[in-house]
Amino acid sequence: MFALRQFRLPLCSIRGLILARDKNALRLLQVQTRYKSNGSLKKQKVPDLEQTASQYFVYRSKIIDDLRHTKDPNPYPHKFSVDITISQFIQKNSHIKAGQVNTEETVRIAGRIHNQRSHGELIFYDLHGDGTKIQINAQAQYSERDFAKVHEHIRRGDIVGVIGFPGRTKLGELSIYSKDIILLSPCLHQLPTSHQGFKDNEMRYRRRYLDLMMNNEIREKFLIKSKIINYLRRYLDDQGFLEVETPMMNFIASGASAKPFVTHHSHLKRDLYLRIAPELFLKQLVIGGLEKVYEIGRQFRNESIDTNHNPEFTTAEFYLAYADMFDLMQITEDLLGNLVYDLKKKYVIDYVMDDKKMQIDFKSPFKRIDIIETLKNKLDVKFPDADQLHTEDTNKFLCDLCEKHKVACSPPKTNARMFDKLIQKFIESDCISPTFITGHPQILSPLAKSHREISGLCERFELIVGTNEIINAYTELNDPFEQRKRFEEQSHQKDLGDEEAQIDDGVFCTSLEYGLPPTAGLGLGIDRLAMILTNSSSIKEVLLFPALRPLN
């Protein structure tokens, strides 16, 4: 905003900056001038709420800049030794009765000040940290330094260290009765008041630090997301899986149907792709003899940004040798049911999406539905035979069907893309509690093994929860001849303009020639699961720093 952060400007320069922004701010500098001559701000201080944001910033910056040079006190000390957190303080002193102060025990605690109430020689502060708060009770009788000097520079938003006694006020408020308060890091900006709040979503996502500071429920969402990841890791470790890491940058964007991000390696003088999925690397590890592997990590897809999509997101993928998709269904029911109960202590949770209230039941067994049969019944139409779903006749059939039911599908209108749009609109939109959808056409799944009984279909399931896909899983294709044929078809689709079609990965096909055992693989979208378990209607709510359009 101004150059005050880098340079110590003379008072006249700051006056000029303020007058350029707001002439009414001159009175604040007059107040500060009186402060410098009187040595006290007791009668001269202008309440924060009377100042605009820019006025307060300039006024506060000048005071802190002066302290930076006088070191009286140093507003940015190197260290403050803390011997107890706010949460620990609350737990340890819960037994203290109203009106009691334990002057026999001195504690050192730190946090951020949110509210400030002054009653002459008695000042109350709300000290926040660990998602909790206590009250600072500052009285002249306990102060080890000059009371006015200790408190003259402390404002809402400042991080402070407090040395004092535990106690409880006569009204029952657990407090620390301060012997000293030390400014550790001043806040130069006005915090939103508790009355105003900080609710503007756009600003919350852009200033997540302020969001976390002001909205404790946001902190809780990210604690839950962390617990989800920790539970997944414990579950897979207990089942004998090995956690591994695979490359984030690849010469080929493979492993899923998605448009990749492109970067450039200067030394190699060639483009690289940020990974869209770790699948093919993980299956190579199974080929190498690591029969149970998993990875929790970031994926990158150069696609739309909306309530369900972000260009980078977190998944958990695991692969199990000598298993198929039906084994994964059982694992999924066990994993998600126990995870939800571990976090929520119940199986049925409430969820709101686009103002639609839902009750989601994670108790097994999960519902299972067939794609073709469901579309037949809902659209009252006879679909082509499964082994004809890739043909030009089926393409015309799907085009007419999408047009009749007003299902938007941008070019290229391939059979796979139109099928996907129909599934989203007429099947996924009705799946509230966890539902396995099965019977996918083979054209939708170039890495999945063909159905063992029905030609034209594959062994794949998606788990839909709260109308969103949470899990995608296959019986993995392990036939190198068939895999090369599938990749050739994907290359043809890419030539037709489908940017999400997969690229032929010759390295992976070569690895298949050494023998991939019958294997089942599953990918779980952690961010979408976190949306449901935190009752968040947008993926931005569960990403600390979601992708946003740049401000002009």
Side-chain angles (χ1 to χ4, degrees):
M1 186 182 297
F2 297 111
L4 293 175
R5 289 188 178 92
Q6 290 83 21
F7 306 104
R8 185 185 182 199
L9 298 179
L11 186 60
C12 60
S13 298
I14 296 179
R15 180 182 287 110
L17 287 170
I18 297 176
L19 290 176
R21 291 283 302 268
D22 191 339
K23 292 184 179 180
N24 292 331
L26 180 58
R27 68 185 182 89
L28 298 175
L29 286 175
Q30 293 170 340
V31 166
Q32 188 203 3
T33 303
R34 291 198 296 273
Y35 149 68
K36 292 190 71 174
S37 61
N38 296 341
S40 172
L41 215 65
K42 183 181 294 185
K43 294 184 180 180
Q44 311 292 350
K45 186 172 67 175
V46 178
D48 296 353
L49 295 179
E50 294 183 14
Q51 305 170 39
T52 66
S54 59
Q55 287 172 347
Y56 182 85
F57 173 74
V58 176
Y59 171 67
R60 180 76 161 142
S61 295
K62 176 61 175 69
I63 291 175
I64 299 304
D65 191 45
D66 284 345
L67 294 179
R68 288 177 60 240
H69 293 84
T70 64
K71 306 293 184 183
D72 186 26
N74 178 7
Y76 298 100
H78 285 75
K79 181 178 173 61
F80 177 82
S81 296
V82 173
D83 55 29
I84 192 169
T85 67
I86 293 178
S87 297
Q88 292 168 341
F89 181 91
I90 293 171
Q91 184 177 8
K92 182 178 179 181
N93 297 290
S94 60
H95 66 280
I96 295 180
K97 297 179 181 179
Q100 287 186 340
V101 180
N102 182 10
T103 58
E104 300 299 316
E105 181 184 7
T106 299
V107 298
R108 300 172 65 92
I109 199 165
R112 187 183 295 274
I113 287 175
H114 274 237
N115 292 306
Q116 182 178 4
R117 304 171 298 283
S118 179
H119 303 281
E121 297 270 295
L122 175 62
I123 304 175
F124 296 102
Y125 303 98
D126 288 340
L127 188 69
H128 286 232
D130 298 328
T132 56
K133 70 172 183 175
I134 59 170
Q135 180 176 261
I136 301 174
N137 188 313
Q139 302 180 30
Q141 62 175 316
Y142 293 122
S143 183
E144 294 182 341
R145 292 192 293 138
D146 180 87
F147 189 77
K149 188 172 182 62
V150 168
H151 297 278
E152 66 182 350
H153 297 307
I154 296 177
R155 299 290 182 275
R156 293 180 65 247
D158 290 351
I159 297 174
V160 299
V162 187
I163 304 170
F165 315 116
R168 199 179 290 272
T169 66
K170 292 180 179 179
L171 296 177
E173 184 80 16
L174 184 62
S175 306
I176 178 169
Y177 287 74
S178 67
K179 295 164 55 177
D180 198 3
I181 300 181
I182 301 167
L183 183 61
L184 302 179
S185 186
C187 178
L188 303 182
H189 295 272
Q190 287 178 327
L191 289 188
T193 66
S194 56
H195 175 71
Q196 294 169 330
F198 189 56
K199 303 300 181 184
D200 181 87
N201 285 341
E202 181 75 11
M203 292 306 297
R204 285 179 48 237
Y205 303 147
R206 292 187 185 278
R207 298 185 179 183
R208 185 64 87 183
Y209 54 89
L210 192 55
D211 188 25
L212 291 167
M213 203 183 297
M214 299 302 301
N215 299 315
N216 201 48
E217 66 274 13
I218 301 304
R219 172 191 173 90
E220 291 302 316
K221 290 187 177 186
F222 289 102
L223 289 177
I224 289 174
K225 183 176 178 181
S226 178
K227 290 177 180 178
I228 291 171
I229 294 172
N230 288 337
Y231 186 93
L232 288 170
R233 184 170 276 117
R234 290 198 311 271
Y235 181 92
L236 293 171
D237 288 345
D238 290 344
Q239 297 293 321
F241 284 81
L242 174 69
E243 184 173 11
V244 298
E245 294 179 335
T246 61
M248 288 283 190
M249 295 185 292
N250 309 298
F251 293 126
I252 296 176
S254 56
S257 298
K259 182 180 178 181
F261 285 96
V262 183
T263 186
H264 187 78
H265 195 290
S266 298
H267 182 73
L268 296 177
K269 295 182 175 58
R270 64 177 296 173
D271 287 344
L272 295 174
Y273 299 95
L274 297 184
R275 76 174 181 193
I276 55 178
E279 177 170 342
L280 302 193
F281 287 105
L282 293 174
K283 285 194 280 192
Q284 289 179 55
L285 297 179
V286 178
I287 292 170
L290 302 180
E291 296 177 352
K292 293 182 175 182
V293 292
Y294 77 94
E295 181 172 14
I296 297 174
R298 308 285 274 187
Q299 319 306 331
F300 307 87
R301 299 185 183 180
N302 196 356
E303 299 170 347
S304 61
I305 300 175
D306 55 36
T307 56
N308 293 318
H309 297 86
N310 193 72
E312 52 181 312
F313 55 97
T314 304
T315 66
E317 287 205 21
F318 66 84
Y319 291 81
L320 176 61
Y322 310 110
D324 62 15
M325 61 172 275
F326 301 103
D327 297 308
L328 292 184
M329 286 181 166
Q330 293 179 356
I331 291 174
T332 297
E333 290 175 336
D334 180 60
L335 168 61
L336 289 187
N338 288 325
L339 185 156
V340 171
Y341 193 83
D342 183 75
L343 291 179
K344 300 291 186 177
K345 307 307 177 190
K346 57 184 180 181
Y347 291 105
V348 181
I349 64 171
D350 295 323
Y351 182 55
V352 179
M353 169 66 80
D354 298 330
D355 297 325
K356 180 181 178 181
K357 295 182 180 180
M358 314 175 191
Q359 277 201 328
I360 301 177
D361 188 351
F362 280 90
K363 195 168 185 178
S364 61
F366 296 164
K367 185 179 179 181
R368 305 184 184 193
I369 61 176
D370 181 83
I371 289 174
I372 300 295
E373 287 301 316
T374 304
L375 289 176
K376 281 182 180 179
N377 295 332
K378 286 198 172 186
L379 303 180
D380 192 24
V381 66
K382 185 180 185 305
F383 272 75
D385 292 338
D387 60 357
Q388 299 298 311
L389 295 178
H390 63 288
T391 65
E392 288 296 326
D393 288 342
T394 299
N395 184 273
K396 183 178 185 310
F397 167 80
L398 293 173
C399 281
D400 293 342
L401 197 61
C402 287
E403 183 177 349
K404 177 181 178 181
H405 294 280
K406 296 181 172 56
V407 177
C409 180
S410 59
K413 293 188 176 183
T414 62
N415 295 17
R417 286 169 58 82
M418 287 187 285
F419 252 117
D420 193 47
K421 297 298 182 183
L422 289 167
I423 292 169
Q424 289 177 28
K425 181 167 182 177
F426 294 106
I427 297 180
E428 293 182 7
S429 60
D430 291 336
C431 297
I432 307 301
S433 290
T435 303
F436 293 118
I437 64 172
T438 62
H440 291 74
Q442 184 66 73
I443 53 175
L444 284 174
S445 312
L447 298 172
K449 201 170 184 70
S450 300
H451 196 287
R452 64 194 72 182
E453 295 176 356
I454 305 174
S455 177
L457 301 184
C458 65
E459 295 206 349
R460 170 187 178 186
F461 72 80
E462 292 175 280
L463 183 74
I464 312 300
V465 184
T467 73
N468 281 318
E469 176 197 342
I470 302 298
I471 287 176
N472 190 26
Y474 314 141
T475 301
E476 300 293 339
L477 176 60
N478 61 344
D479 179 343
F481 302 97
E482 178 65 20
Q483 187 64 79
R484 288 188 186 277
K485 180 180 176 182
R486 300 264 191 93
F487 278 148
E488 289 174 2
E489 175 57 29
Q490 287 291 296
S491 296
H492 175 65
Q493 298 298 328
K494 188 169 284 290
D495 291 340
L496 294 176
D498 187 353
E499 294 180 309
E500 297 182 358
Q502 296 198 36
I503 298 175
D504 189 346
D505 191 329
V507 172
F508 173 67
C509 289
T510 298
S511 72
L512 284 182
E513 293 167 0
Y514 285 85
L516 171 67
T519 297
L522 179 150
L524 184 154
I526 290 176
D527 304 305
R528 289 187 180 177
L529 179 59
M531 286 173 60
I532 293 168
L533 297 186
T534 60
N535 195 18
S536 301
S537 60
S538 171
I539 197 171
K540 292 182 174 67
E541 291 290 327
V542 295
L543 297 171
L544 283 169
F545 299 101
L548 300 167
R549 294 183 184 277
L551 293 172
N552 292 330

